[in-house]
Amino acid sequence: MDKPGRNVRILTYNVHRWLGTDRQISPGRIAEVIASCEADVVALQEVRAGRIHKGHPDQAELVAKELGMDLHFQPTIRILGEQYGIAILTRHPSDIVKSGRLPTLSSGPGFEKRSALWVCVEIEGCGLNVINAHLSLRSRERRAQAAALLGEEWAGHPDCSDPAVLLGDFNAPPYSRSYRLFASRLRDAQLANPAGDPQPTFHTRAPVLRLDHVFVTKSVDIVAAAPVRNELTKVASDHFPLLAELRVRPGASMSADDRIPASAGSAA
């Protein structure tokens, strides 16, 4: 017997500034990849926004328009009229709950200021909290950012009720301490995938690392979760998109005991 609820297709994808492994910048190609996945909600990292050339359309807005989706964007870098950051696209009514910086251990101007974006998406009367993040390449900084995401300002906030999804490019393979921090409080969609074993998402030329993740709260069931691998995704970016089909139960709500406590965010 099928479990009650509504199936939601959610995608996380590091689009590498729209730059493919063929060295071609093509927002339209990324839009084609996303369209083929038929996702309801899309979390993007390394999004380049603004105009590549004078008179050309904004790249992020172009992708959203081609897909017929609403765009929420959080910049992490601003350079010469262009912006670079993370985004959430959705086919359903949605509102930004919070966007902001994650902890950094460097004040140097050359470093990207890592951020997170939290959007609440309304799907058939049910609110789904979605938090997208792109974490640091440096392990100690990444652990501090993971702790912050699990803390009271983000996933541990009282408003971040079940059902909720925390996803993105965490630069955290499963043996890393930051990954284990997430997995201690949330379920890894690829690990819970009934249709197969977890698969790496990076690099598209030789996939060896599982850096992109979808984590879910307890009321969210995993129908399927795997990287999307085909001739188009092999060239469109240096990461494969990770697609998860989730079953969101109606009327789900998280009790105070089930919320992620701030203490879970310890980076020790």
Short mmCIF file of all heavy atoms in Angstrom, two decimals, residues 86-110:
data_model
loop_
_atom_site.label_atom_id
_atom_site.label_comp_id
_atom_site.label_asym_id
_atom_site.label_seq_id
_atom_site.Cartn_x
_atom_site.Cartn_y
_atom_site.Cartn_z
N ILE A 86 24.22 31.46 -4.80
CA ILE A 86 23.35 30.29 -4.75
C ILE A 86 21.92 30.72 -5.04
O ILE A 86 21.57 31.89 -4.89
CB ILE A 86 23.43 29.57 -3.39
CG1 ILE A 86 23.04 30.52 -2.25
CG2 ILE A 86 24.83 29.01 -3.17
CD1 ILE A 86 23.01 29.85 -0.88
N ALA A 87 21.10 29.76 -5.46
CA ALA A 87 19.73 30.08 -5.82
C ALA A 87 18.81 28.90 -5.55
O ALA A 87 19.26 27.74 -5.48
CB ALA A 87 19.64 30.49 -7.29
N ILE A 88 17.53 29.22 -5.40
CA ILE A 88 16.48 28.21 -5.35
C ILE A 88 15.43 28.58 -6.40
O ILE A 88 14.97 29.72 -6.44
CB ILE A 88 15.84 28.09 -3.96
CG1 ILE A 88 16.85 27.50 -2.95
CG2 ILE A 88 14.58 27.22 -4.00
CD1 ILE A 88 16.33 27.42 -1.53
N LEU A 89 15.09 27.62 -7.25
CA LEU A 89 14.02 27.77 -8.23
C LEU A 89 12.86 26.88 -7.80
O LEU A 89 13.08 25.76 -7.33
CB LEU A 89 14.50 27.33 -9.62
CG LEU A 89 15.74 28.01 -10.21
CD1 LEU A 89 16.13 27.32 -11.51
CD2 LEU A 89 15.48 29.47 -10.46
N THR A 90 11.65 27.35 -8.00
CA THR A 90 10.50 26.53 -7.62
C THR A 90 9.31 26.78 -8.55
O THR A 90 9.12 27.89 -9.04
CB THR A 90 10.09 26.77 -6.16
OG1 THR A 90 8.89 26.05 -5.87
CG2 THR A 90 9.86 28.25 -5.87
N ARG A 91 8.53 25.72 -8.76
CA ARG A 91 7.30 25.82 -9.55
C ARG A 91 6.10 26.18 -8.68
O ARG A 91 5.01 26.39 -9.19
CB ARG A 91 7.02 24.48 -10.24
CG ARG A 91 8.09 24.03 -11.19
CD ARG A 91 7.66 22.81 -11.99
NE ARG A 91 8.77 22.31 -12.79
CZ ARG A 91 9.17 22.86 -13.94
NH1 ARG A 91 8.53 23.92 -14.40
NH2 ARG A 91 10.18 22.36 -14.61
N HIS A 92 6.29 26.18 -7.38
CA HIS A 92 5.19 26.36 -6.44
C HIS A 92 5.32 27.69 -5.70
O HIS A 92 6.41 28.26 -5.64
CB HIS A 92 5.17 25.20 -5.44
CG HIS A 92 5.04 23.85 -6.08
ND1 HIS A 92 3.82 23.30 -6.42
CD2 HIS A 92 5.98 22.95 -6.47
CE1 HIS A 92 4.01 22.12 -6.98
NE2 HIS A 92 5.32 21.88 -7.03
N PRO A 93 4.23 28.16 -5.10
CA PRO A 93 4.33 29.39 -4.30
C PRO A 93 5.41 29.25 -3.23
O PRO A 93 5.53 28.19 -2.59
CB PRO A 93 2.93 29.51 -3.68
CG PRO A 93 2.03 28.76 -4.60
CD PRO A 93 2.86 27.62 -5.13
N SER A 94 6.19 30.31 -3.04
CA SER A 94 7.31 30.19 -2.11
C SER A 94 7.68 31.57 -1.58
O SER A 94 7.43 32.59 -2.22
CB SER A 94 8.53 29.55 -2.80
OG SER A 94 8.90 30.31 -3.94
N ASP A 95 8.32 31.56 -0.42
CA ASP A 95 8.79 32.80 0.20
C ASP A 95 10.17 32.55 0.81
O ASP A 95 10.43 31.47 1.35
CB ASP A 95 7.85 33.27 1.31
CG ASP A 95 6.52 33.75 0.76
OD1 ASP A 95 6.52 34.74 0.02
OD2 ASP A 95 5.49 33.12 1.07
N ILE A 96 11.03 33.55 0.73
CA ILE A 96 12.31 33.48 1.42
C ILE A 96 12.07 33.66 2.92
O ILE A 96 11.44 34.63 3.34
CB ILE A 96 13.29 34.55 0.91
CG1 ILE A 96 13.69 34.26 -0.54
CG2 ILE A 96 14.54 34.59 1.79
CD1 ILE A 96 14.66 35.27 -1.12
N VAL A 97 12.54 32.72 3.71
CA VAL A 97 12.47 32.83 5.16
C VAL A 97 13.73 33.53 5.68
O VAL A 97 13.67 34.41 6.53
CB VAL A 97 12.33 31.45 5.83
CG1 VAL A 97 12.26 31.58 7.35
CG2 VAL A 97 11.10 30.73 5.29
N LYS A 98 14.88 33.13 5.13
CA LYS A 98 16.15 33.70 5.60
C LYS A 98 17.22 33.50 4.53
O LYS A 98 17.24 32.48 3.83
CB LYS A 98 16.58 32.99 6.89
CG LYS A 98 17.93 33.45 7.48
CD LYS A 98 18.25 32.66 8.76
CE LYS A 98 19.64 32.96 9.29
NZ LYS A 98 19.78 34.34 9.76
N SER A 99 18.08 34.48 4.40
CA SER A 99 19.28 34.34 3.58
C SER A 99 20.40 35.06 4.31
O SER A 99 20.17 36.10 4.95
CB SER A 99 19.08 34.92 2.18
OG SER A 99 18.79 36.31 2.24
N GLY A 100 21.60 34.52 4.24
CA GLY A 100 22.69 35.17 4.95
C GLY A 100 23.98 34.40 4.92
O GLY A 100 24.06 33.29 4.36
N ARG A 101 24.99 35.00 5.52
CA ARG A 101 26.34 34.43 5.53
C ARG A 101 26.46 33.29 6.53
O ARG A 101 25.81 33.28 7.57
CB ARG A 101 27.36 35.51 5.90
CG ARG A 101 27.36 36.75 5.03
CD ARG A 101 27.74 36.45 3.60
NE ARG A 101 27.98 37.66 2.84
CZ ARG A 101 27.99 37.71 1.52
NH1 ARG A 101 27.78 36.62 0.81
NH2 ARG A 101 28.23 38.85 0.88
N LEU A 102 27.35 32.37 6.21
CA LEU A 102 27.76 31.33 7.14
C LEU A 102 29.13 31.71 7.72
O LEU A 102 29.82 32.56 7.16
CB LEU A 102 27.83 29.99 6.41
CG LEU A 102 26.49 29.46 5.89
CD1 LEU A 102 26.71 28.21 5.03
CD2 LEU A 102 25.52 29.16 7.03
N PRO A 103 29.53 31.09 8.81
CA PRO A 103 30.80 31.47 9.44
C PRO A 103 31.99 31.34 8.49
O PRO A 103 32.06 30.41 7.68
CB PRO A 103 30.92 30.48 10.60
CG PRO A 103 29.52 30.05 10.89
CD PRO A 103 28.81 30.06 9.58
N THR A 104 32.91 32.28 8.61
CA THR A 104 34.15 32.21 7.83
C THR A 104 35.33 32.37 8.78
O THR A 104 35.22 33.06 9.80
CB THR A 104 34.18 33.30 6.75
OG1 THR A 104 35.41 33.19 6.02
CG2 THR A 104 34.06 34.69 7.35
N LEU A 105 36.42 31.73 8.45
CA LEU A 105 37.63 31.83 9.27
C LEU A 105 38.68 32.70 8.60
O LEU A 105 39.82 32.75 9.04
CB LEU A 105 38.19 30.43 9.54
CG LEU A 105 37.24 29.47 10.23
CD1 LEU A 105 37.92 28.12 10.48
CD2 LEU A 105 36.70 30.04 11.52
N SER A 106 38.28 33.38 7.52
CA SER A 106 39.21 34.26 6.82
C SER A 106 38.51 35.57 6.50
O SER A 106 37.34 35.58 6.08
CB SER A 106 39.69 33.62 5.52
OG SER A 106 40.44 34.54 4.77
N SER A 107 39.21 36.66 6.69
CA SER A 107 38.66 37.98 6.38
C SER A 107 39.23 38.53 5.08
O SER A 107 38.97 39.68 4.73
CB SER A 107 38.95 38.95 7.52
OG SER A 107 40.36 39.04 7.74
N GLY A 108 40.00 37.73 4.39
CA GLY A 108 40.63 38.18 3.16
C GLY A 108 39.61 38.51 2.08
O GLY A 108 38.62 37.80 1.93
N PRO A 109 39.82 39.56 1.31
CA PRO A 109 38.85 39.97 0.28
C PRO A 109 38.73 38.98 -0.86
O PRO A 109 37.74 38.98 -1.58
CB PRO A 109 39.42 41.31 -0.21
CG PRO A 109 40.88 41.24 0.09
CD PRO A 109 40.99 40.45 1.37
N GLY A 110 39.73 38.12 -1.04
CA GLY A 110 39.70 37.19 -2.16
C GLY A 110 38.89 35.93 -1.91
O GLY A 110 38.74 35.11 -2.80
#
